[in-house]
Amino acid sequence: MAAFNPLEFRQHFPFFQSQPDWIYLDNAATTHKPQQVIAAELAFYQQANSNVHRGAHQLSQQATALYEDARETVKSFLNARYREEIIFTSGTTAAFNQLAFGLMHSLLKPGDRILISTLEHHANIVPWQLHCLTQGVILDVVPLDSQLMPDLEAYQALLTLKPKVVSLTQVSNALGHVLPLQQMLSAAKAAGAITIVDGAQGIAWQVPDLQQYPADFYCFSGHKLYGPTGIGVLYGKTALLEQLKPLLGGGEMISEVSFQQSSFAALPARLEAGTPNIAGAIGLATAIRFLRQFDAKLINQYKGKLLQQFADGLAAIPGLRSLTQVTQSAGILSLQLLNEHPNDLAVLLNEQKIAVRAGSHCAMPLFASLQLPGAVRFAFAPYNLPTEVEKTLEALQAATDILR
C-alpha cells in the first residue's frame, strides 16, 4: 500500500487541473472523481455498452460480468458475508426509502417504535414519517447533549421502550460529529432492535467490517466516496433483506408473472428492479479500488491536521462561532457568523472561488433544536491542501469585515 502524499493524491483528479482557481470545500455534499473512475465509465459506454443479465450475446455477458464484479468489490470492501447482501441503489436516500417501505410492510406493526437521533439527515427522517403516518408506528428521537452529540442517558432511557428499529447516522453531515456507534448499536441489539446505519458521510471516514459491526443494514452513496452520482449501496443481512417488501416492481426482480399474481426473484435481484446504473456500479468499484491503494489511517490523520489548522485560524477571526467539536469530527466544520444568515457568508466566499455549502444541510430538525437558521459547512478531503486552508481563512476574515 502506497504512503499517503496529498499532492500526489490530488494529481489523480482532473478537476483540479481544469479549475485550478477553485478551492473546493463542499466534499460532504459530493466529492470529485479520479481519472480512473471517469475512464472506467467512459470505457464501458464506448466499448461494452449493453444491458445486464439474461442477454444471449457476448456484450451482455461482458456487461453482466463487469456489473457483478462491482458487487464483489463492494462485498470485499465492506467485508460482507455474501454477495447477495449487496444491493445497488441510486444512493443512500433510495436505500432508506426501500428500508422504510420494506419494513413497514413486513416486520413493523401498529404501536411499534423507531428510534433515530436529532443529528439525522432528512433521508433518515422523512421516509419513516411517510409510513408512520399510515401504519401507526411511533418515531422517537434521541436529544443532544451539551457537546451536540447524542445524549447517551436519554438514549438508554428510550431503549427501554423497546424500539423495533434503531436507525442512526455514522457521521453527522451537518456538524461532522462521529457518533459512538459501536456502543450505541450494541445497546440497541441488546434491546432487541433491528439496527440501521446511514453511512453516507461515514464511509469516507471509516469503512465498517460488516461481519463484526453490530448493524443489520448499512447504506452509503458512491458520490461521497469519489465515485459517480446515481449509485449507492444498501447492505443488509440476508434473512432481513429477504423479508423486505420490494419498493419497486417491474423487470429483473421477478421470478414468475401472471395477470393474477407475481413471485419475486432471489436476492439481490428482488430489490433491484429495472435496468440498473451499470456504469455507475463499475465506477463505484473503480473508486473503491483506487482508494484501497492508500492508507486510510494516514488519510484521516491528514484531514484532521487540515481541520485543526482551520479551527486554529478561526479562533483569530472575531464573530465566528464553530458548532463543531473538532476532536469529534470526521473532517467537517460548521460555523456561524453571529447575527448574519449563513448564505451571506457563503456568497462572499463564492466570489473568492471557495466552494462551501450554507443552510440547514438537510438537517432542519437539528437546526430547529439549536434555534439557528443553519450554518456554513467546510468539509475537507485528502486532495485539499494547507495553502487552501490559509487562503480560506484570509477570505473569511475579509468576508466578516464586510458583513460585520
Side-chain angles (χ1 to χ4, degrees):
M1 183 176 292
F4 178 70
N5 181 304
L7 285 172
E8 292 178 2
F9 187 88
R10 186 181 176 97
Q11 291 301 312
H12 289 281
F13 294 81
F15 172 85
F16 298 107
Q17 284 77 56
S18 64
Q19 300 282 355
D21 295 334
W22 275 97
I23 296 174
Y24 187 82
L25 299 176
D26 197 19
N27 295 291
T30 196
T31 53
H32 288 294
K33 323 305 172 194
Q35 181 60 43
Q36 293 94 320
V37 170
I38 298 167
E41 287 203 271
L42 182 63
F44 170 73
Y45 283 125
Q46 288 184 332
Q47 302 169 21
N49 182 57
S50 186
N51 214 328
V52 294
H53 305 136
R54 301 186 311 280
H57 56 85
Q58 184 176 345
L59 287 173
S60 177
Q61 294 166 12
Q62 181 181 357
T64 299
L66 290 169
Y67 182 69
E68 293 303 331
D69 180 66
R71 196 187 310 276
E72 287 289 341
T73 298
V74 176
K75 168 185 172 289
S76 173
F77 184 57
L78 299 175
N79 194 30
R81 190 176 299 275
Y82 306 112
R83 60 177 294 280
E84 294 80 9
E85 295 177 327
I86 304 301
I87 309 300
F88 284 122
T89 69
S90 64
T92 307
T93 297
F96 269 105
N97 277 272
Q98 171 61 78
L99 285 171
F101 179 87
L103 290 171
M104 288 288 183
H105 292 84
S106 58
L107 297 178
L108 291 169
K109 300 178 178 61
D112 284 342
R113 310 184 87 94
I114 296 169
L115 182 57
I116 62 175
S117 83
T118 303
L119 291 171
E120 302 309 316
H121 187 282
H122 294 167
N124 196 17
I125 302 172
V126 179
W128 301 118
Q129 288 177 333
L130 287 173
H131 300 290
C132 285
L133 291 172
T134 60
Q135 301 296 318
V137 174
I138 301 162
L139 187 65
D140 294 319
V141 182
V142 183
L144 301 182
D145 62 18
S146 61
Q147 301 298 303
L148 303 187
M149 292 284 282
D151 185 322
L152 296 182
E153 288 188 9
Y155 177 66
Q156 290 293 341
L158 287 165
L159 286 179
T160 65
L161 299 177
K162 297 296 181 182
K164 186 66 71 69
V165 173
V166 173
S167 187
L168 299 167
T169 188
Q170 186 179 2
V171 172
S172 165
N173 76 297
L175 303 180
H177 290 169
V178 181
L179 276 66
L181 280 195
Q182 191 72 36
Q183 175 185 354
M184 296 181 76
L185 295 176
S186 296
K189 295 303 295 179
I194 295 168
T195 53
I196 301 172
V197 174
D198 173 359
Q201 296 298 330
I203 191 69
W205 177 252
Q206 185 175 47
V207 181
D209 178 342
L210 290 177
Q211 292 193 47
Q212 305 297 325
Y213 205 55
D216 295 311
F217 296 102
Y218 184 90
C219 318
F220 73 92
S221 300
H223 70 99
K224 307 211 190 245
L225 195 69
Y226 314 99
T229 56
I231 189 72
V233 169
L234 166 60
Y235 157 85
K237 292 181 177 175
T238 303
L240 287 170
L241 285 174
E242 288 175 341
Q243 294 182 71
L244 291 183
K245 183 175 181 179
L247 173 62
L248 300 177
E252 188 65 25
M253 52 79 66
I254 48 81
S255 176
E256 296 287 341
V257 176
S258 71
F259 286 118
Q260 290 71 43
Q261 64 180 6
S262 300
S263 58
F264 300 143
L267 292 171
R270 71 188 300 274
L271 297 177
E272 291 184 4
T275 297
N277 184 354
I278 305 164
I282 293 167
L284 173 58
T286 305
I288 289 171
R289 289 191 288 268
F290 165 75
L291 282 174
R292 294 181 96 171
Q293 300 175 83
F294 304 97
D295 188 319
K297 290 183 179 179
L298 293 179
I299 285 179
N300 284 349
Q301 288 172 8
Y302 177 71
K303 287 168 64 178
K305 289 178 181 178
L306 293 178
L307 188 67
Q308 190 63 59
Q309 177 191 358
F310 185 57
D312 291 345
L314 290 176
I317 304 175
L320 292 178
R321 173 196 173 199
S322 174
L323 302 177
T324 298
Q325 302 293 327
V326 172
T327 57
Q328 298 171 343
S329 176
I332 297 170
L333 189 147
S334 289
L335 58 78
Q336 276 198 312
L337 177 59
L338 299 181
N339 302 317
E340 295 291 341
H341 194 280
N343 288 346
D344 296 335
L345 186 56
V347 166
L348 290 175
L349 292 177
N350 176 66
E351 292 177 356
Q352 300 298 314
K353 290 196 172 182
I354 298 173
V356 298
R357 193 153 296 249
S360 60
H361 311 295
C362 291
M364 286 185 180
L366 166 63
F367 287 102
S369 73
L370 299 176
Q371 298 182 318
L372 296 173
V376 185
R377 184 180 67 190
F378 301 77
F380 296 93
Y383 44 56
N384 292 126
L385 303 173
T387 54
E388 294 182 313
V389 175
E390 288 301 321
K391 290 178 181 178
T392 301
L393 290 167
E394 291 170 4
L396 275 170
Q397 179 69 70
T400 57
D401 288 344
I402 293 171
L403 292 171
R404 283 205 309 263

